[in-house]
Amino acid sequence: MTSVKSEQVVSLARGMRDLVRAEAAQSEQNRTLTHAIVDEMWASGLMTALSPTEAGGIEPSLAEMIEAWIEMAWQDGSFGWVGIANLPSRFAAATYLTDDGFAEVFTANDNHVTMGGQFFPNGQGTVVEGGYQLSGSWNFGSGVGHSEYVAAGFFPMDNGEMRWISEGIPDMQVAVIPRDQIQFNDGWHVQGLKGTGSYDYSAENVFVPAARTFGLFTREPRRGTSPATRMGLMPVTAAGHASWALGVAKSMLDDVAELAATKFRMSDMASLASRPTFQKGLAHHVAAWRAARLLVLDAFSTAEAAVAAGEDLNPTLRADMRAAAVFATDTARECAEWAHLVAGTSSIREGSRLERAFRDLYTGTQHAFISEKVAMDCAQIWLGIIDDQFGL
């Protein structure tokens, strides 16, 4: 595997441009990324980049990963989504599994482990000797189409009762399960993000050793030294969602700006680029996009620096990051809507980058992780209405 330095992560992503563009249509047809794309992610070192060094990663800063994820999503929405699914899933398992679990999953496979799935606790794990008997059904298992291991969130059940971490907060765990123990359901027929392999799946009474589980909200790393390992999965996931939306929106802004020089609407002799209304709209939306990107970088870098300095990741820092992710997503959606409208019929041609990006963005922004409920939770923390919201 290629050895790389942290500052090269964005370059690794950029090096995928020609391949991803050539394979995007086939990925959509396959409903999962092509083997060529996945193989190149491995060959370049991109697939492992976010993980701890013990798992073959290079532990870049969140700012570096944000820029890399923006680049990946700019190339293709499905490729970018896999980037924010497989890389964080692998990061979490490699960081938080026990030593025995890490040895079984990573060391025994020479660290060649791709992982995806759904971390929300849609399963129940009955406590048994040595682990859990897990059953459940999970939707939207991002990136599982090409994953050797599948992550599945669940509630531990002890003698038929849920376990509680504290008052009102149940224990939520994540199981790491070999692919051959999972049943996949043919449910990935969607408007956008068709190439992500985000299949529905289920498990029925599957034994999962405790060593192959970890707490969903843990911030206690067993390996890795980057601040991200002490921030937990939620901030990393939020950074991914914000970056993905920004990347897809940027692809549409860039494409419509390139199109504008040669685009003429029916009964109009002026090119799109020469129209003052287009110029004003482009200036507004590019500026909005840049502002959203800077907000994301500021919020996540500020929190990361605080953790690096030994401070707690307090509720305000977590709210700042999540609110930035929601704002970036909303801004990206507005940019995409404008670009789609001004491009006219050029944006409705099936298979074009504009058409695919529009479908992808409006699919990805339906995710609950960047919903208005998250924004309200953040505001309530800022206002002092609540002291904390553990889900942030």
Side-chain angles (χ1 to χ4, degrees), residues 363-381:
T363 299
T365 56
Q366 295 285 358
H367 202 286
F369 207 82
I370 32 77
S371 69
E372 64 178 10
K373 170 62 166 59
V374 175
M376 290 186 287
D377 288 340
C378 296
Q380 288 181 30
I381 288 175

Side-chain angles (χ1 to χ4, degrees), residues 71-155:
E71 167 64 27
M72 293 174 73
W74 180 91
Q75 294 174 28
D76 174 57
S78 289
F79 176 57
W81 193 268
V82 165
I84 70 167
N86 286 155
L87 273 61
S89 296
R90 192 182 193 282
F91 158 85
T95 300
Y96 303 117
L97 282 177
T98 66
D99 289 343
D100 287 345
F102 182 85
E104 179 185 351
V105 175
F106 289 90
T107 307
N109 293 293
D110 295 325
N111 286 332
H112 198 284
V113 175
T114 310
M115 192 174 303
Q118 169 61 262
F119 285 68
F120 191 80
N122 282 338
Q124 293 188 350
T126 300
V127 177
V128 295
E129 184 176 356
Y132 306 90
Q133 292 295 143
L134 179 66
S135 297
S137 296
W138 295 264
N139 298 322
F140 310 122
S142 299
V144 300
H146 52 269
S147 295
E148 294 92 1
Y149 282 85
V150 176
F154 70 97
F155 292 110

Side-chain angles (χ1 to χ4, degrees), residues 7-27:
E7 62 267 20
Q8 293 178 314
V9 175
V10 179
S11 295
L12 290 178
R14 191 172 294 121
M16 301 282 298
R17 281 189 176 190
D18 291 344
L19 176 62
V20 169
R21 190 159 189 164
E23 298 278 315
Q26 189 62 52
S27 291

